[in-house]
Amino acid sequence: MFHKALWYQNYKQTRMIIWIILTLFIIHMPFQSVLSLETWKEREEQANQAEGYVYEVQKWDVLQIFSQGTLPVFLSFSIIALACLLIGLERNTRRNDFTFSLPFSRKDLFLAKWLYGISAIFFFHVINFFTAFFIIYQSDYSTALYLVSWIEIFWGPLLGFIMFFTFALLIGTFTGEMISQVGLTFLLGFLPQGVFALIQSFTEVHFRYIFSLPDWINYLTPFHYVFNQSGEIQSVVLPLIFTGLFLWLSTYLYEKNKIEHNGEFLIFKVLNPVFLTGITIGISLAGGMIVSALAPWSADALRVIAYWIGFTTFLLFALLIGRRIVTMNIQFYGKP
Amino acid sequence: MFFHIDTKSNAPLYEQIIQQVKEMCAKGLLIPDERLPSVRELSSHMVINPNTVSKAYQELERQGIIVTVRGRGTFISKETDRTIDPGRLKAIREFLKEAVIENYYAGYSKKELIELLEEVYEEMEGKTDEN
Amino acid sequence: MKISRVSKTIHGKYILSDINFSIETGSIIGVIGRNGAGKTTLLRTMTGILDPTKGDVTIDGYSIFKKPQIKEQVIFVPDSSEAFKNYSTKEILTLYKNIYPKFDEEYFYGLMERFSLPSVKKTGAYSKGMKALFSLIIAFSTGARYILLDEPTDGLDVIVKKQVLQILIEEVAAKDVSIIISSHRLDELEFMANKIIMIKDGKVDSLYEIEEMKEMYKKVQLVFKETMPQNLKKEVTILDQTGRVYTVIMDRNDPKIQHMIEETEPLLFEELPLLLEDIFVAKLGGVSHVS
C-alpha cells in the first residue's frame, strides 16, 4: 500500500478534485474565520452605538467556522467525487485492466487508494483547522473558543469526513461504475433516516401515529456525521468504529471483485435482487408519501386513497426502471 | 540481403532460407568469408520467427556451408571446408530422377537434357567469373 | 508460465473452459480463434485482471493470484491504450520505473530514438501507430519475461505494422522473453509465431508448433470426373468448390484417404502450399468470419 507508483497514479487521477477539496477547506476554516472576525467586530460596533445592547459571540457562530454551514455539504460532495475518481472512474474506463495487471495485490491497490484519500483529508483538515484556530486565538475574540468543545470543532468533523470517505469507497467496491457509485452513496448515506421518514409517513397517513426519531437512527446514518456535530462522545467513537468496519468490508469486497462486471450497476450479482426489492419498495413508499401530501390534511379517507394511488403509480415506474438499471452497461473507452 | 518468402512453395520456411543461401553461394552472390546477417537481423528483416532463422543456420553450419565465429558472426565457409555428405548425394539423385521424368514427358531427349545441364553450369560459372 | 485447468464463466456462460498449456521463454506464440472465442478473456486471466472461476496461472511455480509480485514477469498490452491519455511521456516513464524494478531506461530511450518517437506532454497526442509502438516500447523496457499483446497490429498502416512486428521479433531474438499475441491476422502470424494456440468455444483446441501442424495436414486441389463421392466428403475438409474443382484439407499421414482419392481416379490431384489460415479453417470450421 506504500508503493510509490500507486500514490503517483492516484494523484494523477484525482489531481483536480484534491485541489478543489483543499480550496474548500481553506474557505471553510481560515478564510471564514477572518470574515467572521470582521462580522463580529461590525456587529459589536453596531451594538455599542445602540443604548443598552451588548454583543456577544454565540456558540453557533464558532461552529459555523469549524463544523457547520454550507461548506461541509460541498466538502462531502467533493469527498464523494474523490472516492468515485479513485474507484468508479477506473471501472468506466479501461484503467482497471491496468491496475489489476500490476504486480501488486488487490489489497494493496485498495489500501493505497484509501490511505491516499485519508491522508489528503487528514492533512488538509489539520492544517486548516489550526490556521483558523490560531487566527481566532490571537484576535480579540479568543474567548469565543471556550464556547465549543474539541469534539465539536476538531475530532467530530475530522473523523466524520474520514468515515464518510471510507463509506464512499466501500460503495465503490460493489458498484460497477461511477454513476451508480454516486447514486448509491447518496441513497445509502441517508438510508436509515430515509427509511424512517417513509415508515413515519405511512403510519401517519393510515393511523395518525407519529414515531419520534430515535437517536440510534441518526447514529446509523453516514451523512449525519458530516453535517451535524453535537459534541457527544458518540461522534468520536462511532465514526471510528464505522471506519474500521467499512475498511475491513471494502478491502474484502475489493479482493473479491470480478471486474468483468465493470460498467454494470452492481459488481456482485447476488446483490441485484436485494437492490431491486429495496428500490421498488422505497420508490413506492416515497410515491405514497408525495401524493398523499397533496390531499387536504384533514380528509383522512382521501389521504389514504391518494397514498395508494401514489404508491401504485410509483411502483409501476420502479418496476420499469429497476430492470433497466441492473442490466445496463456503461463503459467508455474514450477520454475520461 | 536478397532473402524472400515464397508463399507459393510447399517447402518449410527454414528450408527456403537454406536453399536461398546455397543458391546465392552458387551464383557467387555470396563469397567465402562474407558475413551473413545475424539471426536477429535476418529475422527482423524478413519479419519471421528467429527460431526459423537459427534452425536454417544450424543446418547450413552442419552442412559446412557457413561457420559461426563466436562474438564475430556468421560467415560463408571456404569451399574446401564443405563436408561431403552422402545423404545429400542421394537427395540430388532423387532430384535428378524427377528431372529426367519431367524431361521425358515434356518430349525432350536425353541429349537435350544433358545440354541443358551444361547450360545451367555455364550460367552459374559465368556469374562467378564476373565477381 | 503455466495455465492449469483455467475456467471462466461470465454471466453464467462459459467463456473459457478447462484450459491447460504452458509456455517457455524464447518463443512467439499466437493465440488465434474466431471472434468471441475467448482470446482476450484468456489474456486478461493470464495477467490476473480477471479471476478464473476455477484453475490457476503460475509463473516459476508461484500463483499470480496468491503472489502478485511475480507479475513483474508479465506485462499485458491491451488493444487500445486509453489509460494514459493525460500522462506525459516522462510521467509514464516515472510510473513504470516505480512499478517494475528491472525497468531499463536506457533501452527505453534507445527504442524511442530508433522509432523516432518524440516525448510529448500528453500521450493522447500520439497517432494510433505511435501509441501502439509506444506501448510496445514500454512493455519491452519493463524487463518482463512474458509479454502479452492483444491485437497489437489492429488498425495500423503497413509501414507501422512492419515496424511493430520487427521490434517484436528483435525482442525475442535478443532477450529470453516470450511474446504471446492474440490476433486474427493469420497471415502475420504465419511466419512469425513458432507456436499456435487455437481456441474454439472457450477450449484450447490445440497447441502446436506451426511446422508440426503443417506436417499434419495437406492441402490439395482435386478435379473429379463427376462430383466428390459422399464417403470421401466425410474424411476431408472442403475449403472451396467450383464445379468439379475442389480445394480440400486432408490428413497428411493417413494412407486410407490418399488411397480413397486415388481410387476415384481424379483428373487432377495436386498438392498446394498449406497456410495457417487453411489449418485454422480445418480445425475451427467455417470459411467465413475468419477476420
Side-chain angles (χ1 to χ4, degrees):
Chain A
M1 56 179 153
F2 295 108
H3 304 294
K4 208 170 139 198
L6 293 179
W7 282 75
Y8 187 74
Q9 197 208 354
N10 286 334
Y11 173 65
K12 274 292 295 179
Q13 216 157 304
T14 56
R15 204 160 40 175
M16 183 92 87
I17 197 75
I18 282 291
W19 289 108
I20 291 177
I21 291 176
L22 178 61
T23 315
L24 287 175
F25 265 116
I26 292 171
I27 296 173
H28 179 38
M29 293 191 281
F31 189 58
Q32 217 188 160
S33 62
V34 173
L35 290 183
S36 294
L37 286 178
E38 284 305 309
T39 316
W40 297 343
K41 202 186 274 169
E42 210 178 289
R43 283 191 198 151
E44 194 173 1
E45 277 163 11
Q46 279 174 356
N48 286 343
Q49 277 165 14
E51 200 66 29
Y53 282 102
V54 181
Y55 177 73
E56 264 183 64
V57 176
Q58 298 299 307
K59 180 179 177 175
W60 187 82
D61 292 319
V62 185
L63 284 184
Q64 187 75 10
I65 298 170
F66 292 104
S67 57
Q68 279 176 4
T70 45
L71 279 152
V73 178
F74 289 122
L75 267 173
S76 65
F77 292 169
S78 314
I79 285 171
I80 295 178
L82 176 62
C84 289
L85 289 177
L86 284 172
I87 291 196
L89 187 64
E90 253 187 18
R91 299 189 190 278
N92 286 95
T93 59
R94 288 213 184 157
R95 219 174 282 156
N96 216 161
D97 272 24
F98 169 75
T99 37
F100 272 28
S101 75
L102 295 179
F104 306 126
S105 70
R106 293 191 187 172
K107 191 177 171 183
D108 281 6
L109 291 175
F110 182 77
L111 288 179
K113 289 177 195 296
W114 182 75
L115 219 57
Y116 168 78
I118 294 307
S119 316
I121 294 170
F122 180 82
F123 285 115
F124 292 169
H125 189 271
V126 168
I127 292 164
N128 287 298
F129 172 83
F130 283 105
T131 314
F133 191 86
F134 181 73
I135 290 170
I136 298 172
Y137 184 77
Q138 52 79 47
S139 75
D140 298 336
Y141 296 98
S142 61
T143 48
L145 292 171
Y146 294 114
L147 296 170
V148 289
S149 70
W150 275 80
I151 291 182
E152 280 172 309
I153 60 169
F154 182 72
W155 293 111
L158 174 64
L159 296 175
F161 284 136
I162 287 179
M163 188 278 291
F164 193 72
F165 172 73
T166 315
F167 172 73
L169 273 190
L170 166 69
I171 304 294
T173 60
F174 61 83
T175 47
E177 48 88 48
M178 203 165 63
I179 300 162
S180 54
Q181 189 184 355
V182 176
L184 279 186
T185 307
F186 276 104
L187 201 66
L188 298 179
F190 283 119
L191 190 72
Q193 286 179 354
V195 169
F196 180 82
L198 291 175
I199 294 173
Q200 199 180 41
S201 111
F202 181 82
T203 56
E204 198 267 326
V205 169
H206 292 81
F207 315 112
R208 290 259 162 199
Y209 182 79
I210 298 174
F211 292 103
S212 58
L213 181 70
D215 279 347
W216 61 268
I217 295 248
N218 284 335
Y219 289 136
L220 282 180
T221 307
F223 266 109
H224 173 79
Y225 297 94
V226 187
F227 298 150
N228 201 330
Q229 298 307 332
S230 53
E232 295 155 311
I233 191 70
Q234 282 94 321
S235 35
V236 174
V237 177
L238 290 175
L240 277 177
I241 294 174
F242 284 143
T243 304
L245 195 70
F246 291 162
L247 183 62
W248 170 77
L249 184 62
S250 48
T251 314
Y252 174 78
L253 290 177
Y254 200 71
E255 283 182 316
K256 293 269 169 283
N257 258 207
K258 299 250 179 285
I259 68 161
E260 60 266 30
H261 298 310
N262 273 358
E264 294 167 33
F265 193 78
L266 295 172
I267 289 285
F268 298 98
K269 297 296 141 196
V270 286
L271 294 176
N272 270 348
V274 181
F275 170 75
L276 272 180
T277 319
I279 202 84
T280 311
I281 296 173
I283 289 179
S284 309
L285 287 173
M289 183 170 93
I290 292 162
V291 178
S292 69
L294 301 175
W297 195 73
S298 52
D300 274 357
L302 195 57
R303 288 183 74 210
V304 174
I305 292 166
Y307 190 95
W308 286 101
I309 289 173
F311 186 94
T312 321
T313 324
F314 277 66
L315 174 68
L316 289 174
F317 288 155
L319 289 175
L320 282 176
I321 60 165
R323 281 253 146 253
R324 294 212 162 188
I325 287 176
V326 291
T327 50
M328 70 174 185
N329 190 334
I330 305 170
Q331 260 184 315
F332 37 87
Y333 302 128
K335 207 168 183 142
Chain B
M1 283 298 145
F2 331 95
F3 292 98
H4 63 274
I5 301 170
D6 183 5
T7 46
K8 290 190 179 64
S9 162
N10 288 331
L13 198 52
Y14 78 96
E15 273 176 24
Q16 289 188 31
I17 295 171
I18 295 175
Q19 203 50 47
Q20 285 174 38
V21 171
K22 286 180 180 171
E23 200 179 313
M24 279 188 268
C25 284
K27 282 184 180 163
L29 296 174
L30 287 172
I31 52 170
D33 289 331
E34 188 168 344
R35 192 176 164 273
L36 277 178
S38 69
V39 170
R40 181 174 159 182
E41 283 163 352
L42 185 58
S43 56
S44 156
H45 174 78
M46 293 178 76
V47 198
I48 60 171
N49 195 289
N51 294 338
T52 311
V53 178
S54 28
K55 195 171 171 185
Y57 276 19
Q58 273 164 28
E59 181 58 25
L60 283 166
E61 194 162 6
R62 204 185 61 79
Q63 295 183 9
I65 293 167
I66 59 169
V67 278
T68 304
V69 185
R70 257 190 183 281
R72 283 189 55 218
T74 308
F75 301 88
I76 302 291
S77 59
K78 296 189 179 57
E79 275 168 71
T80 47
D81 294 341
R82 285 178 198 164
T83 48
I84 290 158
D85 181 354
R88 275 166 71 205
L89 192 66
K90 208 176 155 194
I92 294 167
R93 196 192 156 86
E94 285 298 314
F95 211 73
L96 285 175
K97 206 166 152 186
E98 241 173 75
V100 169
I101 297 169
E102 282 293 314
N103 189 63
Y104 174 78
Y105 281 103
Y108 293 104
S109 69
K110 181 179 165 187
K111 201 180 150 217
E112 273 165 315
L113 180 66
I114 293 168
E115 269 169 20
L116 198 67
L117 190 65
E118 291 283 353
E119 252 173 59
V120 174
Y121 258 105
E122 267 164 35
E123 211 180 284
M124 291 278 182
E125 279 157 0
K127 283 242 169 73
T128 318
D129 293 342
E130 275 165 29
N131 283 305
Chain C
M1 191 172 194
K2 201 170 165 217
I3 286 76
S4 24
R5 307 198 63 96
V6 164
S7 294
K8 178 76 189 166
T9 52
I10 297 177
H11 289 299
K13 233 182 84 192
Y14 266 99
I15 305 296
L16 303 175
S17 66
D18 202 23
I19 290 198
N20 286 293
F21 62 88
S22 52
I23 39 186
E24 289 87 44
T25 48
S27 47
I28 301 177
I29 297 150
V31 178
I32 59 176
R34 291 169 66 168
N35 285 342
K39 290 175 299 212
T40 305
T41 308
L42 176 65
L43 294 193
R44 288 169 89 210
T45 311
M46 283 166 74
T47 26
I49 295 169
L50 302 179
D51 296 328
T53 314
K54 266 188 236 141
D56 204 354
V57 177
T58 53
I59 296 168
D60 301 335
Y62 297 105
S63 162
I64 62 163
F65 303 102
K66 292 198 188 92
K67 194 181 176 219
Q69 295 96 296
I70 199 75
K71 284 200 277 177
E72 278 167 14
Q73 301 292 351
V74 202
I75 185 144
F76 174 59
V77 182
D79 59 350
S80 68
S81 44
E82 299 289 344
F84 299 113
K85 278 195 147 185
N86 295 318
Y87 283 63
S88 73
T89 312
K90 273 231 162 62
E91 282 168 335
I92 293 187
L93 192 66
T94 313
L95 186 65
Y96 274 84
K97 271 199 304 197
N98 281 306
I99 298 168
Y100 299 93
K102 278 188 277 172
F103 194 93
D104 190 343
E105 202 173 341
E106 218 170 284
Y107 188 69
F108 170 82
Y109 279 118
L111 287 175
M112 288 287 281
E113 202 170 304
R114 213 184 111 191
F115 293 98
S116 21
L117 272 184
S119 286
V120 286
K121 283 254 164 60
K122 275 188 182 188
T123 50
Y126 278 144
S127 70
K128 198 168 178 175
M130 285 161 123
K131 270 182 207 157
L133 269 176
F134 183 70
S135 16
L136 284 183
I137 291 173
I138 281 278
F140 292 151
S141 309
T142 56
R145 281 188 298 154
Y146 300 94
I147 298 159
L148 278 60
L149 310 174
D150 195 11
E151 305 280 359
T153 57
D154 225 22
L156 302 184
D157 68 49
V158 191
I159 295 169
V160 181
K161 189 189 288 176
K162 197 171 174 196
Q163 281 187 320
V164 165
L165 297 180
Q166 282 183 331
I167 156 174
L168 221 145
I169 284 166
E170 282 182 38
E171 187 69 15
V172 175
K175 298 188 202 162
D176 190 28
V177 298
S178 250
I179 297 183
I180 297 106
I181 309 174
S182 100
S183 178
H184 55 244
R185 295 301 310 268
L186 301 180
D187 54 328
E188 274 168 31
L189 291 175
E190 181 97 49
F191 302 113
M192 237 175 67
N194 50 333
K195 278 184 188 170
I196 286 290
I197 294 170
M198 283 199 189
I199 301 191
K200 185 185 187 182
D201 303 328
K203 288 195 181 99
V204 166
D205 201 73
S206 41
L207 166 69
Y208 289 117
E209 298 266 349
I210 289 195
E211 281 183 9
E212 211 175 282
M213 208 143 56
K214 286 189 174 176
E215 277 160 22
M216 288 162 60
Y217 298 98
K218 184 155 107 174
K219 182 178 172 184
V220 293
Q221 193 160 48
L222 292 165
V223 181
F224 293 99
K225 288 177 192 138
E226 281 154 32
T227 51
M228 185 189 278
Q230 283 302 323
N231 61 339
L232 190 59
K233 271 188 185 168
K234 276 179 238 150
E235 303 290 334
V236 299
T237 310
I238 301 171
L239 291 179
D240 186 48
Q241 184 202 350
T242 347
R244 291 175 298 142
V245 186
Y246 293 79
T247 312
V248 304
I249 301 278
M250 55 180 271
D251 194 329
R252 186 185 285 279
N253 305 310
D254 190 349
K256 196 184 92 198
I257 303 173
Q258 180 86 15
H259 191 70
M260 274 169 75
I261 296 173
E262 277 164 1
E263 262 187 350
T264 62
E265 294 177 1
L267 298 172
L268 182 76
F269 181 14
E270 190 182 54
E271 186 170 350
L272 298 174
L274 181 68
L275 294 176
L276 188 55
E277 192 183 314
D278 304 320
I279 305 172
F280 184 83
V281 173
K283 277 255 168 203
L284 306 184
V287 182
S288 52
H289 309 114
V290 170
S291 53

